[in-house]
Amino acid sequence: MKDKISGIAAQLLIDNIDTDQIIPTEFLKSIKKYGFGDYLFDGWRYLKDGDLDTPVEQRGIREDFILNQPPYNKAKILLAGDNFGCGSSREHAVWALRDFGIEAVLATSFGDIFYNNCFKNNVLAIKLKPEEFDKVSSFVSNDPFQLSISLANKQLEIGDQKIIFDIEDSLIQRVIHDLDDVDITLKDSEAIKAFEIKHLTSKPWL
Amino acid sequence: MNKTLYDKLWEMHAVNPDSDGETLLYIDRHFLHEVTSPQAFEGIEKKGLNPWRLDSNVATPDHNVSTQRGKMMDIDKADHSLSKIQLIELDKNCKKFGVTQYDINSEKQGIVHVIGPEQGLTLPGMTIVCGDSHTSTHGAFACLSMGIGTSEVEHVLATQCLRVRKLANMRINVIGTPKHWITPKDVILHIISKIGTAGGTGHAIEFAGEYIESLSMEGRMTICNMSIEAGAKVGMVAYDLITETYLKERIDENDPNMIEALNQWSQLHSDQGSEFDKEIVIDVTDLLPQVSWGTSPEMTIDFNDDIPKTPKTKKALEYMGLENEDNLLGVAFDKVFIGSCTNSRIEDLRATAAAIKGRQKAKNIKEVLVVPGSRAVQAQAEIEGLDKIFIEAGFSWRDPGCSMCLGMNEDKLTPYERCASTSNRNFEGRQGHLGRTHLVSPFVAGLIAIHGHLPKDLSEYHYER
Ligand code: SF4
């Protein structure tokens, strides 16, 4: 059970960062579900482009990119611009964040499919109102070490201030208990079967 | 209660309509391809499960395939080892679980969103999902279709359902009759430039109005395809006579099941007076051809307009190498790509052919790739002699696949190359590391191919759709 996320918070305040930016297509050739952390924001992190066969050490680090700089190279929380994760449905984008070590992403809005994909991998995506986001952002700019997220009471803690965020219970429960959707749904097998019989009988061309 | 098309489709498929928040939505059709399925098959295998309803699944390789493979290809000879692994994996998984696959050598192979409708696998009223965000394409058939992630691919294989929350309703009414060189691609690019890439977030968009009603199914697919670039997972068009005519070529009208189907499908439209959470009107009467100038589809202007220069556009203009240009008219291109699930259907290829007929590719254009969306489109184009027009113009006529839409195979831009592309995304690096993409219609792509740049005056070109 996980009830708190706290750690270094990094900020990448660019709007409309799409999933091609989070992980370029080249790295979608893997058939595995893990091992994408090195390719997170690949185009911005390295001097030379690469592929799964090229060790990242050979590609040169871009020192000016935030996630390459200590302490942010160990970030657990990411503050991002509007409409973060728009674009392609590739879940590899979330796998890359997760494998890098990001446990929570904060933004004022997210791409719909990306938002969903986060919770399938127990990465917490938190939507904040612009004024709340700005508050957290300026706090983190002063001190990247003190942001803490309390899951059960849906609360962000910045210093002695608290901000309540809104999130559906079923989503946050997944992160807290590391639940698997397939297991949850299969509990309703009987209802699905009953629905299916009715549905396919009334639409026999299916 | 007056219901929208989306409401109707939702109610027809909600297994537990009374649950709060997440609903189990029953899925009628599930398309799979090689890139987003391997981890999902592995997932159900680990749990000891089989696909819940096997015949709802259809797979085809498209994202990764070589477009120079010829009609018969031995996967083992694929030149890129990593792409080969995914092709082999898809083949293996389909065989293991018994999933229907239009494999690399099938006459039915093609981009998932092209072959679904073409093969009669996409039918009105269906819920359709695929591990690809452009699944919204199928909404042109009054379907509830959307892109999903790999965990959801696994979930649909295992349970035939999706756990989703209902979206809000949005309607975009497109009115007016545009000029003859305007294609559906110009219209959807224009809509995205107006409402922004987050304009439809959280909504299911129904495209309606006299312009949409006048469109062929191919044109409607192009529009619904790019709903996701407007932020909406779901895009739809109501069922009408044009839908019916398209389908009658693909179904047996005398089959009693189909008679019943046609009857039920006729209800697939929003009721008169149904309410939408958001509604906008777009008039296309004076629309000019659209071209994107930046690194997001919303960064789109009329072909002869000034490029917006503000502190906010600086980063994109630098990436695109346009800091010193006032407009796009004098800008030289290096490559042209005609293809992708947005614009690789027969009508699109006809539009390109009409733009170039009898002319040659310009000297500064290094390569023009024409990649049909499917084997069926390729065959039809060859019957019509379009392939000859392309080849005589110095273009490269290829085998079907996603190709340079996302640059996963060898079709890519090299750094700083400028490309006119009929695809849907101009994100940084989308078509190759540091490549520069301008989204255009297949007609404009043809014009750029023969001029080497955008022509200043379009009045001499005629293309009737
Ligand atoms: S053509 Fe492009 S957008 Fe369409 S499915 Fe293939 S990669 Fe995705």
Side-chain angles (χ1 to χ4, degrees), chain A residues 8-12 44-45 61-75 100 144-145:
Chain A
I8 294 151
Q11 308 204 56
L12 198 58
W44 295 334
R45 258 168 89 194
I61 297 284
R62 274 181 52 172
E63 305 287 352
D64 59 347
F65 185 63
I66 180 151
L67 296 185
N68 285 336
Q69 302 160 354
Y72 304 107
N73 56 350
K74 301 236 156 44
F100 181 87
F145 298 97

Side-chain angles (χ1 to χ4, degrees), chain A residues 22 24 27 36-51 54-65 67-68 100, chain B residues 433-434:
Chain A
I22 302 175
F27 306 101
F36 296 95
D38 279 348
Y39 313 117
L40 176 68
F41 300 117
D42 193 89
W44 295 334
R45 258 168 89 194
Y46 304 101
L47 294 167
K48 275 193 251 144
D49 63 333
D51 54 34
T54 316
V56 289
E57 299 77 36
Q58 293 174 12
R59 297 172 48 203
I61 297 284
R62 274 181 52 172
E63 305 287 352
D64 59 347
F65 185 63
L67 296 185
N68 285 336
F100 181 87
Chain B
H433 185 60
L434 298 177

Side-chain angles (χ1 to χ4, degrees), chain B residues 230-297:
Chain B
K233 281 201 281 198
V234 174
M236 293 164 299
V237 174
Y239 181 88
D240 66 6
L241 252 170
I242 293 176
T243 331
E244 186 177 300
T245 311
Y246 182 99
L247 288 161
K248 280 188 173 167
E249 289 169 14
R250 288 161 175 82
I251 60 171
D252 176 7
E253 275 181 70
N254 300 315
D255 176 344
N257 282 343
M258 282 303 161
I259 296 172
E260 173 59 17
L262 287 163
N263 186 26
Q264 289 190 27
W265 293 342
S266 65
Q267 300 306 308
L268 296 171
H269 52 77
S270 290
D271 292 332
Q272 283 270 332
S274 45
E275 284 188 19
F276 289 82
D277 302 286
K278 224 181 190 180
E279 185 146 22
I280 62 166
V281 177
I282 300 275
D283 186 348
V284 292
T285 312
D286 297 317
L287 188 65
L288 290 170
Q290 301 290 297
V291 185
S292 74
W293 54 266
T295 52
S296 162

